[in-house]
């Protein structure tokens, strides 16, 4: 069941990310028969829609960029890591870009393991939990830049 209460972009992103991409890209039965060019296009579409969702203010029209306090497009930790990478790459204010780059660098210690979470052993997951705790603590306690938004941190930890 799907609805477009937020926006059609958000609904399409959710459907691709949670239903179609896992089946068409990861399921053995379907991924073998799905053209690699189409797999690449689906991956690019998911990434593009994800970027729009992470940077849109859904309380407005669904297309207003900015919204550091809006976490509606953050569905899992890797979305949070990607959010800061995108801000670091695209923000036109140097101080915000540097701050985002700082958070991106701090998250890099855990970004790759989260991207491959399904392949980790139980021992590796336990290590990742410890590393995550340390990384999140470092981000929360950093003093080089403005503080990490509390609402984003709460959402990340939920």
């Amino acid at each position: 069941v799907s609805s477009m209460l937020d926006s059609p972009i958000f609904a399409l992103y959710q459907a691709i990310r949670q239903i179609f991409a896992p089946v068409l890209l990861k399921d053995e039965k379907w991924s073998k028969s799905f053209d690699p060019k189409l797999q690449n296009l689906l991956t690019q579409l998911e990434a593009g829609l994800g970027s729009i969702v992470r940077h849109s203010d859904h309380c407005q029209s669904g297309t207003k960029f900015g919204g550091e306090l809006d976490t509606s497009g953050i569905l899992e930790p890797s979305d949070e890591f990607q959010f800061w990478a995108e801000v670091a790459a695209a923000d036109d204010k140097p101080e915000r870009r540097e701050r985002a780059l700082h958070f991106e660098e701090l998250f890099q210690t855990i970004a790759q393991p989260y991207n491959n979470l399904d392949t980790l052993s139980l021992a590796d997951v336990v290590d990742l939990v410890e590393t995550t705790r340390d990384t999140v603590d470092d981000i929360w306690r950093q003093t080089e830049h403005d503080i990490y938004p509390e609402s984003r941190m709460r959402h990340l930890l939920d």
Side-chain angles (χ1 to χ4, degrees):
V1 175
S2 178
S3 72
M4 290 195 299
L5 294 177
D6 273 336
S7 77
I9 293 172
F10 188 73
L12 179 60
Y13 175 64
Q14 293 291 344
I16 289 173
R17 181 171 188 136
Q18 295 178 349
I19 299 167
F20 296 105
V23 171
L24 296 173
L25 301 176
K26 296 177 183 172
D27 183 85
E28 287 184 36
K29 176 183 174 186
W30 293 104
S31 65
K32 289 179 183 176
S33 61
F34 195 51
D35 183 345
K37 289 181 183 178
L38 291 175
Q39 288 180 350
N40 187 38
L41 287 172
L42 183 61
T43 301
Q44 289 177 6
L45 178 61
E46 180 184 358
L49 290 171
S51 180
I52 291 169
V53 167
R54 281 187 294 276
H55 293 284
S56 62
D57 181 354
H58 299 289
C59 296
Q60 302 293 321
S61 65
T63 57
K64 181 182 175 190
F65 282 91
E68 184 177 291
L69 300 179
D70 179 16
T71 58
S72 61
I74 308 300
L75 306 176
E76 53 190 48
S78 59
D79 293 330
E80 183 70 10
F81 312 151
Q82 187 63 36
F83 172 84
W84 292 108
E86 290 167 359
V87 172
D91 203 299
D92 40 339
K93 293 198 174 186
E95 62 276 359
R96 285 197 310 226
R97 193 171 48 245
E98 288 174 22
R99 177 173 170 257
L101 184 60
H102 182 68
F103 293 147
E104 178 190 16
E105 289 170 356
L106 290 170
F107 276 131
Q108 290 221 333
T109 58
I110 57 174
Q112 191 60 37
Y114 272 98
N115 288 335
N116 300 319
L117 199 55
D118 350 350
T119 64
L120 297 179
S121 68
L122 184 57
D124 290 338
V125 171
V126 170
D127 289 343
L128 180 57
V129 168
E130 289 298 315
T131 306
T132 301
R133 183 181 54 84
D134 294 342
T135 300
V136 168
D137 191 52
D138 289 345
I139 289 169
W140 188 249
R141 293 176 187 273
Q142 66 82 32
T143 57
E144 294 87 33
H145 300 279
D146 288 345
I147 63 168
Y148 195 87
E150 182 177 347
S151 61
R152 287 196 84 84
M153 185 60 76
R154 285 185 185 280
H155 185 76
L156 179 61
L157 297 174
D158 279 345

